[in-house]
Amino acid sequence: MKRIRANFLKLPELLKDNIKIIEGYKNYLNLSVELHKKTKKEWRSISELSTYKPHIDVYKESVQRGIKVYILTSKEEATKEKIMIWKKSGAKLRYIDLLPTKFSIKDESDVTLRFGGQGKYVSLWVQNQSLAKSMKNYFNSLWKSAKEV
């Protein structure tokens, strides 16, 4: 975490306005809830299947507003209980054998990248269309090869 902060401080001021560091899993989930509320077209995510109710509820509300929601998860994460919960949300769900770095893309404008380990969870929220489009292309290639749940 210290290294991330040190490198972040080296960024030009212009970039710092477009990148935020979020510490802690619950803080990331709360950010995700807020970003979902602002989503206008689509949300794509490579993620574990959270059971945090506000998170699930906002996915459901997004789908009801006409937002296209796609989630890639690992086969290990796709338990019967979690699949049932997430299918009720209306999100399209597929699984892949190996879950890469977790990330989400909002409307080709925002990306969250998530890292965990050694009891720590850090997210980067990046507001950058170029990165969002690149990550969407990567997501789509994984989606095509993923298996339906």
Side-chain angles (χ1 to χ4, degrees):
M1 188 63 207
K2 288 179 186 177
R3 206 168 15 162
I4 291 173
R5 284 210 183 280
N7 287 331
F8 180 75
L9 293 172
K10 293 177 186 175
L11 290 172
E13 288 302 315
L14 181 62
L15 291 177
K16 288 180 188 177
D17 290 341
N18 296 329
I19 301 171
K20 304 286 186 267
I21 299 171
I22 313 300
E23 294 182 59
Y25 183 63
K26 193 105 170 203
N27 290 333
Y28 160 71
L29 290 176
N30 290 330
L31 169 67
S32 179
V33 167
E34 292 308 310
L35 290 176
H36 270 69
K37 291 176 182 176
K38 296 175 183 176
T39 302
K40 295 182 175 130
K41 295 187 305 182
E42 66 182 21
W43 182 275
R44 297 171 190 269
S45 189
I46 294 180
S47 186
E48 296 174 356
L49 298 176
S50 163
T51 55
Y52 183 55
K53 187 169 176 5
H55 200 227
I56 296 165
D57 290 346
V58 80
Y59 269 84
K60 187 175 184 176
E61 290 165 13
S62 294
V63 170
Q64 289 171 346
R65 289 189 295 120
I67 306 302
K68 295 178 182 172
V69 177
Y70 304 90
I71 302 171
L72 277 171
T73 193
S74 69
K75 190 172 184 174
E76 295 163 359
E77 267 297 304
T79 65
K80 287 181 183 181
E81 177 191 0
K82 289 181 178 180
I83 290 169
M84 218 165 67
I85 291 169
W86 281 96
K87 281 198 170 190
K88 284 181 184 178
S89 78
K92 294 178 180 158
L93 190 63
R94 291 188 181 180
Y95 69 86
I96 51 182
D97 293 326
L98 180 62
L99 203 61
T101 297
K102 298 172 197 95
F103 66 88
S104 298
I105 310 138
K106 171 193 162 286
D107 290 335
E108 290 187 2
S109 62
D110 296 56
V111 174
T112 60
L113 300 159
R114 302 177 302 278
F115 312 94
Q118 300 176 352
K120 295 183 181 183
Y121 197 90
V122 176
S123 305
L124 297 178
W125 171 24
V126 183
Q127 296 170 290
N128 181 285
Q129 287 183 339
S130 179
L131 177 63
K133 287 178 183 179
S134 295
M135 297 302 285
K136 180 180 175 180
N137 288 338
Y138 175 53
F139 180 95
N140 288 343
S141 69
L142 292 172
W143 184 263
K144 286 177 186 173
S145 64
K147 297 174 180 98
E148 290 193 32
V149 174

